[in-house]
Amino acid sequence: MNCRYYLVMALLSGLMLCTRPLETTGVTETGTVVTGNLVTASGTPVSASLVKLVPADFDPLKDAQRVRTYADTTDSAGSYAFHAVPLGAYTVLSVNIRERTRAMTGGVNVDAGEDTVAAPVDTLRIPGAIKMTVSDIFDTTNGYVYIPGTFNFVRLRGAGHIVVLDSVPAGTIASVA
């Protein structure tokens, strides 16, 4: 037989020894279910859109590897759901790649004792940009600008203190940090 065959078999055997069977203990995840719906500007449900749930104070550079975010895809009725969501304040971020539209819903709060939280119905719209001048008091060499509760950020690059945050969903942005 081929030497590769034995190598593959040895690797597979090693993997089987390193894994253990799944145990069913009857324990289910606890937490709240966050649900919502996406529509077009005319009110039609939007399917196949990516929806993410992130903490309202999420920093896309500092928190990306250590903070849990949730993701789902809308069904034919434009509905999505996130399961086992812990207490806290969240932002719902949505994007439809095909139509190049986005939405952002802030103020989704999960409080103690709630089984389900319904986020407001949101409308996907063409995104925009935020263009701003950054003051000289900030570290324009190593710093960055971001919208809390989103993945939108731009690194500062020294001279020329104008920054543009692109692909920003339409709506009111509470703050830029």
Side-chain angles (χ1 to χ4, degrees):
M1 288 220 161
N2 187 329
C3 196
R4 287 185 188 160
Y5 171 80
Y6 290 111
L7 180 60
V8 169
M9 292 308 292
L11 288 172
L12 288 175
S13 297
L15 286 174
M16 285 191 268
L17 291 174
C18 292
T19 61
R20 59 187 173 107
L22 293 174
E23 298 174 16
T24 56
T25 61
V27 176
T28 59
E29 288 186 82
T30 59
T32 302
V33 177
V34 175
T35 63
N37 290 79
L38 291 177
V39 296
T40 64
S42 64
T44 305
V46 180
S47 64
S49 292
L50 176 63
V51 184
K52 292 187 176 186
L53 183 72
V54 299
D57 61 352
F58 182 80
D59 179 327
L61 289 181
K62 290 182 180 175
D63 297 336
Q65 299 300 319
R66 62 181 186 87
V67 173
R68 180 174 182 189
T69 60
Y70 299 81
D72 194 15
T73 303
T74 55
D75 62 17
S76 60
S79 300
Y80 59 86
F82 305 107
H83 299 273
V85 178
L87 302 178
Y90 295 91
T91 301
V92 178
L93 304 171
S94 310
V95 61
N96 184 289
I97 301 298
R98 184 180 63 244
E99 298 296 324
R100 296 182 162 191
T101 53
R102 294 181 180 269
M104 179 174 73
T105 304
V108 177
N109 296 308
V110 175
D111 297 318
E114 293 181 305
D115 292 332
T116 304
V117 171
V121 174
D122 208 349
T123 304
L124 290 166
R125 300 182 189 281
I126 295 172
I130 297 174
K131 182 177 181 179
M132 57 191 283
T133 303
V134 178
S135 171
D136 289 334
I137 64 171
F138 296 104
D139 181 355
T140 58
T141 303
N142 300 309
Y144 59 100
V145 175
Y146 70 100
I147 301 171
T150 74
F151 294 93
N152 295 80
F153 76 94
V154 63
R155 292 184 187 276
L156 301 177
R157 301 286 185 208
H161 307 299
I162 295 176
V163 296
V164 177
L165 288 161
D166 199 10
S167 299
V168 177
T172 302
I173 305 298
S175 68
V176 176

